[in-house]
Amino acid sequence: MSGQIDMNSAARVSSVFCLVAALAAGQIVHPVGNIFDPQATPAESVYHLSLLVIAVCAAIFLVVGGILTFTIVRFRHRKDDDREPAQVYGSGRIEIAWTVIPILIVLVLTMATARVVIALQNKRAPADALHVTVIGHQWWWEIRYPDLGIVTANEMHVPVSTAAKPALTFLKLQSADVAHSFWVPQLSGKTDLIPNRTNSMWIDPRQQGTFLGNCAEYCGTQHANMLLRVVVESPEDFENWAAAESLNAVSDPNLGAARSTFLSLSCVSCHSVSGTPASGTFGPDLSHLMSRKTLGSGIIPNTPDNLRAWVKDPQAIKRGNLMPNMQLNARELDEVVTYLSSLK
Ligand code: CUA
């Protein structure tokens, strides 16, 4: 129970912190993933479709609610009236009406939905599209840019799409374990990540800033803390980020001892650091850990204190996650955190 409370307050502190940090850096974090404020073509199509569905449902609600209210008031029991109400059984006309009208409504909604689904799914990737592979894990996102040689986690960077310079990002969605679902409400609808299958979707974000998303398919204990960020940048900022991320991890000669300690521990069997023997693939790639804003798939901001707390005992922060408490002694903890902090 107390773990639950800690986690919630950690998440709250984290979102406040991220907002402050982002404002300080002049970058906008769109705080609520609102489907009614679409910022990419797929999300806009879903938004327009949802308006139609809401309008049809509201009309049904008003008609049914109106007739019901009228009936309750008009035919209510009155004090001086003890007569039995007329006993009516069946009406061909009414039954045909309440069978045919709903079928027509469902047909219209199905056709409208199919049109949007087909338009989004059949979109062909232009030659200059950015390709990203997203792999769902319990409980974090592996993000790979196969053409750029980049592997990162939980925070996807993409260029902004403008009328003058459209920039489409095509996503391949896969899973390493169970079913997950990729959902950044302002950019697109949900698409599942399913084991042994590759799904796809695309986005063309029109506004710079950080868009928040999350896993939308129950995938185990920490499903609710499988958070996601899409950082939409100017083409120049994206190029700079991609250039930095595709380099091997920095190897600071002053941190030889710290690096040796890290490489001697079993961290390396789950995590990769490019240019070192650490090549595990079970956990997030750490080559440029310091370029990320959060730790633990968005659960806490990436600050020196939080990094230390996470390495010391990740279970205290995100209970049930697959990184165990490594029982590091004080020296090992210091050295691992020192080394990780150098991975810009
Ligand atoms: Cu992954 Cu829910």
Side-chain angles (χ1 to χ4, degrees), residues 18-32:
C18 293
L19 196 61
V20 172
L23 289 177
Q27 198 199 29
I28 307 154
V29 174
H30 303 273
V32 180

Side-chain angles (χ1 to χ4, degrees), residues 180 215 217-219 223 226:
H180 303 272
C215 181
E217 175 75 48
Y218 182 73
C219 55
H223 154 71
M226 189 167 164

Side-chain angles (χ1 to χ4, degrees), residues 143-157:
I143 297 167
R144 311 182 79 101
Y145 297 70
D147 303 334
L148 304 175
I150 296 171
V151 184
T152 183
N154 307 321
E155 298 176 17
M156 180 192 298
H157 286 242

